[in-house]
């Protein structure tokens, strides 16, 4: 099976490429600036319509996992034109070609399509983004829904993994780095998420591809947890000093973009349908520890 991953150099896409490449897949890892680590590397700029069509014509993918996005939430708020171009128009070009080349599309969306007033969102809950990033990702969902008959939209929440990707670290690696260096960190107690290990997400998306599951799936970790408690869990698993973690509230932070207070996801649909289930925080962090151990521990 030929699988094209847009965002193949990213935190999720790079792990998915690694997981798929271990099985009998021909993986094409799309990237813009950072050369991917796994799969056949293919440069693609999703904002360039002609370029997207040429890549599809060359690859002729059976499946496209569209994970490329402008993911910096604060920058999306400030650079709205670019955010719209990448997350909405770029998605439109990918969707149009998926239709033209009869490729099954998996679109990676986000928990940030929800406003965070309720938490534990189900697939049928009404999206209502509170920032521009969430708005563009939701518009991306509509591009998919309105133009394809067969697709899967997956929504993770706060992805983390063992390797920096796309030129940046991720939340868990940042926490480990700070605490192991003896630095104090301020973490919010009043924001709730469903942290998602990229390996767990990749295995679930692999199953989605294999079974051509369609519709919307919340594919995050199985635990609703505050940022603060998540950091405490990280400290426990990695044997780091929890006293270095200082509790603060969201209103003490000067984020450019508003954040949803509780964007945690209800994963009961995935728990019921998938053989590869969303994992809880402890299991995920222990897998991460195993992935890091040959290098750092
Ligand atoms: N990270 C999270 O916590 C999180 C949570 C929920 C949902 N999501 C969603 O999950 C997906 C993957 O996120 P991630 O964290 O893995 O992303 P990431 O690490 O920030 O990587 C973004 C990817 O998009 C590519 N990209 C950006 N602009 C592009 C363009 N114009 N054309 C082609 N490729 C472009 C980047 O390529 P280069 O690196 O080569 O420039 C990179 O591969 C995204 O759709 C995101 O919205 C992420």
């Amino acid at each position: 099976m030929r699988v094209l991953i847009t965002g193949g150099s990213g935190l999720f896409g790079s792990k998915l490429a690694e997981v798929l490449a271990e099985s009998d897949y021909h993986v094409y890892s799309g990237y813009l600036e950072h050369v991917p680590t796994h799969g056949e590397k293919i440069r693609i700029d999703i904002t360039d319509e002609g370029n997207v069509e040429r890549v599809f014509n060359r690859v002729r993918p059976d499946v496209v996992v569209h994970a490329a996005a402008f993911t910096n939430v604060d920058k999306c708020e400030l650079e709205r034109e670019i955010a719209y171009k990448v997350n909405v128009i770029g998605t439109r070009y990918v969707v149009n070609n998926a239709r033209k080349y009869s490729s099954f599309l998996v679109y990676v969306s986000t928990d940030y399509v929800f406003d965070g007033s309720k938490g534990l969102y189900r697939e049928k809950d009404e999206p209502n983004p509170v920032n521009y990033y969430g708005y563009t990702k939701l518009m991306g969902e509509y591009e998919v829904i309105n133009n394809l008959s067969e697709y899967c939209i997956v929504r993770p929440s706060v992805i983390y993994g063992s390797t920096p990707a796309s030129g940046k670290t991720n939340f868990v690696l940042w926490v480990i780095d700070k605490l192991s260096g003896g630095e104090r960190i301020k973490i919010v107690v009043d924001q709730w998420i469903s942290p998602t290990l990229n390996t767990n997400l990749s295995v679930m998306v692999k199953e989605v591809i294999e079974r051509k599951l369609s519709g919307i799936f919340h594919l995050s970790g199985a635990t609703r947890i505050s940022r603060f408690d998540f950091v405490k869990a990280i400290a426990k698993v990695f044997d780091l000093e929890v006293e270095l973690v200082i509790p603060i509230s969201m209103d003490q932070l000067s984020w450019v973009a508003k954040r949803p207070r509780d964007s945690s996801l209800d994963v009961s649909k995935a728990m019921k349908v998938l053989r590869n289930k969303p994992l809880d925080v402890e299991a995920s962090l222990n897998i991460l520890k195993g992935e890091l151990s040959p290098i750092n521990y």
Side-chain angles (χ1 to χ4, degrees), residues 85-101:
K85 203 168 169 193
V86 178
N87 294 350
V88 186
I89 307 293
T91 298
R92 183 176 304 162
Y93 296 154
V94 172
V95 165
N96 287 346
N97 281 284
R99 195 179 55 232
K100 181 172 173 188
Y101 289 89

Side-chain angles (χ1 to χ4, degrees), residues 62-293:
D62 302 300
V63 173
V64 181
V65 179
H66 178 35
F70 189 13
T71 57
N72 185 314
V73 176
D74 288 329
K75 272 194 173 175
C76 281
E77 207 69 23
L78 298 169
E79 301 169 21
R80 292 185 171 213
E81 214 172 300
I82 304 174
Y84 194 87
K85 203 168 169 193
V86 178
N87 294 350
V88 186
I89 307 293
T91 298
R92 183 176 304 162
Y93 296 154
V94 172
V95 165
N96 287 346
N97 281 284
R99 195 179 55 232
K100 181 172 173 188
Y101 289 89
S102 303
S103 317
F104 180 72
L105 184 103
V106 180
Y107 171 66
V108 186
S109 187
T110 172
D111 54 335
Y112 273 31
V113 298
F114 297 112
D115 62 21
S117 57
K118 174 174 95 72
L120 286 176
Y121 289 96
R122 304 190 71 134
E123 287 80 355
K124 282 184 181 145
D125 284 327
E126 202 59 52
N128 181 33
V130 295
N131 56 42
Y132 199 69
Y133 165 74
Y135 168 76
T136 59
K137 294 294 293 182
L138 180 62
M139 291 301 116
E141 289 193 5
Y142 294 154
E143 292 292 332
V144 174
I145 292 165
N146 295 334
N147 293 292
L148 294 173
S149 50
E150 254 212 306
Y151 59 80
C152 188
I153 292 172
V154 304
R155 297 186 184 132
S157 161
V158 185
I159 303 173
Y160 63 95
S162 58
T163 322
S166 194
K168 54 185 190 278
T169 188
N170 60 68
F171 183 67
V172 175
L173 292 185
W174 175 80
V175 169
I176 293 170
D177 182 53
K178 293 289 171 193
L179 296 186
S180 53
E183 278 188 55
R184 288 169 171 270
I185 51 174
K186 292 178 181 173
I187 302 292
V188 289
V189 291
D190 53 351
Q191 188 192 26
W192 286 267
I193 52 176
S194 297
T196 311
L197 177 65
N198 62 358
T199 316
N200 185 211
L201 177 59
S202 298
V203 169
M204 293 190 286
V205 168
K206 181 171 178 250
E207 186 177 339
V208 165
I209 293 170
E210 277 162 0
R211 295 173 56 192
K212 294 254 163 65
L213 295 172
S214 58
I216 301 179
F217 282 84
H218 286 174
L219 296 189
S220 65
T223 309
R224 170 188 180 268
I225 193 165
S226 72
R227 282 256 182 199
F228 184 75
D229 286 341
F230 183 40
V231 169
K232 283 207 297 191
I234 297 166
K236 191 172 170 211
V237 168
F238 288 89
D239 205 13
L240 298 165
E241 256 194 82
V242 77
E243 290 74 28
L244 294 170
V245 190
I246 301 159
I248 57 164
S249 60
M250 275 171 80
D251 56 22
Q252 287 176 265
L253 287 176
S254 46
W255 279 318
V256 176
K258 195 175 170 196
R259 270 31 179 209
R261 192 181 56 83
D262 186 346
S263 60
S264 59
L265 299 172
D266 181 319
V267 291
S268 38
K269 180 178 175 187
M271 282 288 189
K272 197 170 156 208
V273 174
L274 295 182
R275 288 186 284 267
N276 298 281
K277 315 279 183 202
L279 298 174
D280 66 26
V281 156
E282 207 189 333
S284 301
L285 288 174
N286 277 302
I287 291 174
L288 179 75
K289 192 174 179 183
E291 290 177 0
L292 285 168
S293 58

Side-chain angles (χ1 to χ4, degrees), residues 9 11-12 32-34 44 46 71 133 137 159 166 168:
S9 49
L11 177 58
F12 163 61
L32 185 65
E33 286 175 11
H34 302 91
I44 180 170
I46 59 166
T71 57
Y133 165 74
K137 294 294 293 182
I159 303 173
S166 194
K168 54 185 190 278

